[in-house]
Amino acid sequence: MRRIVWISVALAALVTMVLLFSPGHAQSRPIVSSGGILNAASYTLDGMPNSGIARGAMFLVYGYGLGPSTLQKAPDPPTPLPTKLSETSIQVLVAGTTVDALIQYTSANVVAAVLPSSTPEGSGVLTLTYNGLPSTPVAIRVVHTALGIFAQNQAGSGSAVVQNYNSQTDQPLNTILETAQPNQVMILWASGLGPANGDPAVAATPGNLDVDTQVLVGGKNAKMLYWGRS
């Protein structure tokens, strides 16, 4: 009888341990994938030409357990972008200065955010926190400029996101069926041109950025009309 009692107690302890450490009773810390911090437009890998996250740029963080299972988006403007969305937040530490990234959307495997223009340049670390649990800090390199052009496939390759400007209400996407004409204004969408003045959490502050900018179309210089936030 004594053996049966001890076996029962051991089984009860085992069941209790399983319950305590099952997914429904314990949450794992978020994990940021190695090489999982990318320019939101170009997806350029770290170490490649034009890599790094520019001050003021949109960037993506890939990993596991980063946010809720269903993607949650920040409210549309003019509501300011939040530094915490659905319990997801991102902190970047460079040269002794910590800044809070502005969250655009969050989900379990990818988070999109904007790096404040006030972030110092140089090598640092990024920590993503979800439901109060921080990830292991991962390396991030902050640069002045690392321009990435948005692609129509939303994966950083192929046809660019360019609009043919006909009027305020007519700006079709540039495709083989909707081509631009000589001397027509075109709008190129990108991220990572460089830091900007004003609060990045609210509507854009108009004005050209203090960055030497050149656009070549078919090997020829295009006339620049505006290069700044939108």
Side-chain angles (χ1 to χ4, degrees), residues 132-213:
L133 296 177
S135 68
T136 299
V138 294
I140 183 174
R141 187 166 59 91
V142 179
V143 298
H144 190 81
T145 300
L147 185 69
I149 298 174
F150 284 99
Q152 294 182 28
N153 67 358
Q154 299 183 36
S157 62
S159 300
V161 176
V162 180
Q163 290 175 287
N164 304 326
Y165 185 90
N166 298 320
S167 68
Q168 285 281 4
T169 57
D170 184 17
Q171 301 168 28
L173 190 66
N174 180 272
T175 66
I176 57 174
L177 300 178
E178 291 277 0
T179 60
Q181 303 301 312
N183 297 317
Q184 183 174 17
V185 173
M186 303 177 72
I187 303 171
L188 176 66
W189 293 92
S191 184
L193 185 59
N197 295 322
D199 186 352
V202 298
T205 302
N208 294 331
L209 298 185
D210 186 19
V211 179
D212 185 17
T213 307

Side-chain angles (χ1 to χ4, degrees), residues 21-45:
F21 292 99
S22 64
H25 290 76
Q27 178 186 329
S28 300
R29 293 180 180 272
I31 298 174
V32 177
S33 299
S34 176
I37 304 173
L38 304 172
N39 180 295
S42 67
Y43 288 71
T44 302
L45 297 175

Side-chain angles (χ1 to χ4, degrees), residues 6-124:
W6 278 111
I7 292 173
S8 299
V9 172
L11 287 175
L14 178 60
V15 170
T16 301
M17 292 179 63
V18 170
L19 288 174
L20 285 175
F21 292 99
S22 64
H25 290 76
Q27 178 186 329
S28 300
R29 293 180 180 272
I31 298 174
V32 177
S33 299
S34 176
I37 304 173
L38 304 172
N39 180 295
S42 67
Y43 288 71
T44 302
L45 297 175
D46 191 36
M48 300 293 289
N50 204 40
S51 63
I53 305 301
R55 298 162 57 195
M58 297 169 57
F59 67 98
L60 302 175
V61 178
Y62 283 93
Y64 306 92
L66 308 180
S69 56
T70 301
L71 187 145
Q72 300 294 319
K73 302 174 73 172
D76 292 331
T79 303
L81 286 173
T83 56
K84 179 186 284 188
L85 179 64
S86 296
E87 296 304 315
T88 298
S89 61
I90 294 175
Q91 293 74 41
V92 176
L93 172 63
V94 181
T97 298
T98 300
V99 299
D100 293 308
L102 303 164
I103 310 299
Q104 294 179 304
Y105 65 77
T106 177
S107 65
N109 298 116
V110 60
V111 176
V114 174
L115 186 67
S117 293
S118 60
T119 308
E121 296 174 26
S123 297

